[in-house]
C-alpha cells in the first residue's frame, strides 16, 4: 500500500491506498472550525495545527486499515502548491517516516492529486477526458491524456471558484467555508431573482471578480432586514452565475472542493464527478496520484523541498 499525506491548506489528512486504487483508509481532520472565527485560513495557525495532528492522523489511518508500517511500500506527500508552512509539516513528516523505514518517497502535486481522485475504485476513470478542477485555490480546465499528468487549457484570471463562494458567503454574512453554506441556502432561493453576470473571457479561462463585485453592490443596496429576506435568493442567483461559468467549457469530469456543489453536479449529469468524500482535500487522492509518479529512492529525497506555487 501507499501511505499518502496531505497538509497543503487546512485539512490534515492521511490515507492508505493499494496499487490498484482501492482505498483502505482515509482520515481527514479539518481545521475549518479553528479558522472560521477569522473568516479564512490563517497560515501560521494552520501550520501549528498540522504539527499537532499529522502523527495522530497517520496512526489513525494505519489503524483503520488494520495495517502497520510493514504494509507500506512508499510514502506519498503533497509538496506543492499550498501554504508553505503547512506543506512543510507534511513533507517533513513524510521524509522522516520514509527515511526511518528506508522507503521511497513520492512527491505529489496537489492539483494532480485532485484529478487522481477520479482514478480510485470504484470510479477508476480512464483518460482521455477534459476535467474541470475547481477548488478554493484553483479553477482550471484540463486536458487529461494520461494518468500521469494533464495540460492546462484555461485558468482563472482572478479568483478561484471556491474563493468566489467563500467571499460571497462572507458578503452574505454566512460562515466559513462558504461553499457549503451557499449551496444549502441556495436550495431555498430563486436562482432567477438576480441577474448576476457571467464574465466573458476569451478561450477557456474564467473570471469571478466582477461577479463578486456585483454581489457586493446588490448587498449594499439592502437594509439588514431586506438582506435577511433576500439572502436565499441572492445565494441561489450568485451560485447559479458561478455554475454557469464553470460548465461553459463542457467538462467531461469535475474534481476539487467546488465539485461537491449540488447545482454544479446536477448541471453535468453525464460528467464523471469525483465522489463527494473525495472532492475536498484528502490524502487518498494524493496516494492515488502517486501511483503515476516516479518515486524518489532512499535517501535521495532528504533534499526535497515544498513549494508554495503550482
Ligand atoms: O479542494 P479544496 O478542499 O481545497 C483547495 O484545494 O482549495 O476546496 C475547498 C473549496 C472552498 O472554497 C469551499 O468553499 C469549496 O471548496 N466548497 C464548495 C462546496 N463544498 C466545498 N463550493 C461550493 N459548493 C459546495 N458544496
Ligand atoms: Zn485542494
Amino acid at each position: 500500500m501507499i501511505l499518502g499525506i496531505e497538509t497543503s491548506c487546512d485539512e490534515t489528512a492521511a490515507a492508505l491506498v493499494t496499487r490498484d486504487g482501492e482505498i483502505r483508509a482515509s482520515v481527514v481532520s479539518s481545521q475549518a472550525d479553528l479558522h472560521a472565527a477569522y473568516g479564512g485560513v490563517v497560515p501560521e495557525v494552520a501550520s501549528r495545527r498540522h504539527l499537532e495532528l499529522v502523527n495522530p492522523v497517520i496512526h489513525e489511518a494505519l489503524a483503520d486499515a488494520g495495517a502497520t508500517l510493514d504494509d507500506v511500500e512508499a510514502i506519498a506527500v503533497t509538496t506543492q502548491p499550498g501554504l508553505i508552512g503547512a506543506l512543510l509539516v507534511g513533507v517533513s513528516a513524510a521524509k522522516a517516516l520514509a527515511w526511518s523505514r528506508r522507503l521511497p518517497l513520492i512527491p505529489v502535486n496537489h492539483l494532480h492529486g485532485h484529478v487522481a481522485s477520479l482514478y480510485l475504485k470504484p470510479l477508476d476513470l480512464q483518460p482521455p477526458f477534459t476535467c474541470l478542477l475547481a477548488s478554493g485555490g484553483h479553477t482550471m480546465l484540463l486536458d487529461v491524456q494520461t494518468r500521469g499528468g494533464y495540460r492546462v487549457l484555461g485558468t482563472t484570471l482572478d479568483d478561484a471558484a471556491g474563493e468566489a463562494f467563500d467571499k460571497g458567503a462572507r458578503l452574505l454574512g454566512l460562515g466559513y467555508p462558504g461553499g457549503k453554506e451557499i449551496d444549502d441556502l441556495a436550495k431555498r432561493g430563486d436562482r432567477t431573482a438576480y441577474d448576476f453576470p457571467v464574465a466573458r473571457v476569451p478561450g477557456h479561462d474564467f473570471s469571478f471578480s466582477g461577479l463578486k463585485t456585483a454581489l457586493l453592490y446588490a448587498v449594499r443596496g439592502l437594509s439588514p432586514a431586506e438582506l435577511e429576506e433576500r439572502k436565499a435568493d441572492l445565494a441561489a442567483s450568485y451560485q447559479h452565475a458561478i455554475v454557469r461559468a464553470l460548465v461553459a467549457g463542457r467538462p467531461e469530469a469535475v474534481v476539487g472542493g467546488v465539485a461537491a456543489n449540488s447545482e454544479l453536479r446536477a448541471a453535468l449529469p453525464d460528467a464523471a464527478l469525483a465522489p463527494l468524500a473525495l472532492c475536498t482535500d484528502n490524502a487518498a487522492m494524493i496516494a492515488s496520484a502517486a501511483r503515476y509518479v516516479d518515486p524518489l529512492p532512499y535517501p535521495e529525497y532528504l533534499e526535497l523541498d515544498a513549494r508554495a506555487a503550482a
Side-chain angles (χ1 to χ4, degrees):
M1 290 185 290
I2 298 176
L3 168 63
I5 300 172
E6 153 67 41
T7 65
S8 68
C9 190
D10 63 343
E11 257 89 41
T12 317
L16 287 150
V17 168
T18 63
R19 274 276 157 205
D20 59 357
E22 228 178 88
I23 304 175
R24 290 291 167 80
S26 179
V27 177
V28 180
S29 175
S30 175
Q31 310 177 359
D33 292 351
L34 195 62
H35 300 284
Y38 307 97
V41 180
V42 184
E44 285 310 317
V45 174
S47 309
R48 265 174 186 277
R49 196 73 181 127
H50 283 308
L51 207 50
E52 290 167 0
L53 289 173
V54 69
N55 283 336
V57 162
I58 291 169
H59 281 131
E60 193 177 328
L62 286 167
D64 283 0
T68 70
L69 285 174
D70 290 338
D71 303 308
V72 174
E73 62 169 82
I75 313 276
V77 65
T78 306
T79 54
Q80 67 187 90
L83 302 169
I84 190 67
L87 285 165
L88 280 169
V89 175
V91 170
S92 304
K95 277 189 197 177
L97 256 185
W99 179 81
S100 69
R101 309 286 301 188
R102 308 293 188 261
L103 291 172
L105 188 148
I106 310 175
V108 174
N109 181 302
H110 183 83
L111 307 183
H112 185 204
H114 274 300
V115 178
S117 64
L118 300 166
Y119 306 150
L120 289 159
K121 285 185 169 153
L123 191 54
D124 209 4
L125 191 68
Q126 289 296 338
F129 55 87
T130 54
C131 184
L132 171 69
L133 189 169
S135 70
H138 298 85
T139 298
M140 297 174 164
L141 188 68
L142 307 173
D143 170 31
V144 184
Q145 290 294 329
T146 71
R147 284 186 166 185
Y150 51 79
R151 195 166 60 92
V152 179
L153 299 174
T155 185
T156 182
L157 303 174
D158 38 63
D159 291 347
E163 206 175 351
F165 271 107
D166 295 337
K167 288 178 177 172
R170 201 175 333 175
L171 288 173
L172 293 174
L174 304 173
Y176 170 86
K180 180 83 172 66
E181 302 262 335
I182 289 187
D183 196 347
D184 290 344
L185 184 59
K187 293 191 174 106
R188 292 189 271 121
D190 172 6
R191 65 166 80 151
T192 64
Y194 289 84
D195 189 16
F196 286 128
V198 174
R200 271 176 225 273
V201 280
H204 290 300
D205 287 341
F206 305 89
S207 166
F208 297 103
S209 65
L211 174 61
K212 186 183 59 192
T213 308
L215 178 64
L216 173 69
Y217 286 140
V219 169
R220 265 195 197 158
L222 299 174
S223 70
E226 286 169 332
L227 174 59
E228 211 44 56
E229 196 176 309
R230 305 304 307 273
K231 221 180 215 179
D233 288 345
L234 284 163
S237 304
Y238 185 71
Q239 172 176 282
H240 188 51
I242 297 176
V243 169
R244 270 172 10 241
L246 292 177
V247 302
R250 299 178 189 280
E252 292 163 320
V254 190
V255 301
V258 178
N261 185 263
S262 58
E263 186 182 343
L264 178 61
R265 295 177 87 84
L268 294 168
D270 300 324
L273 305 169
L276 276 181
L278 299 176
C279 289
T280 45
D281 289 348
N282 63 88
M285 69 184 197
I286 302 304
S288 177
R291 297 179 292 147
Y292 308 99
V293 177
D294 288 336
L296 297 170
Y298 167 89
E300 264 176 39
Y301 45 79
L302 291 178
E303 307 273 298
L304 187 71
D305 220 339
R307 276 187 49 189

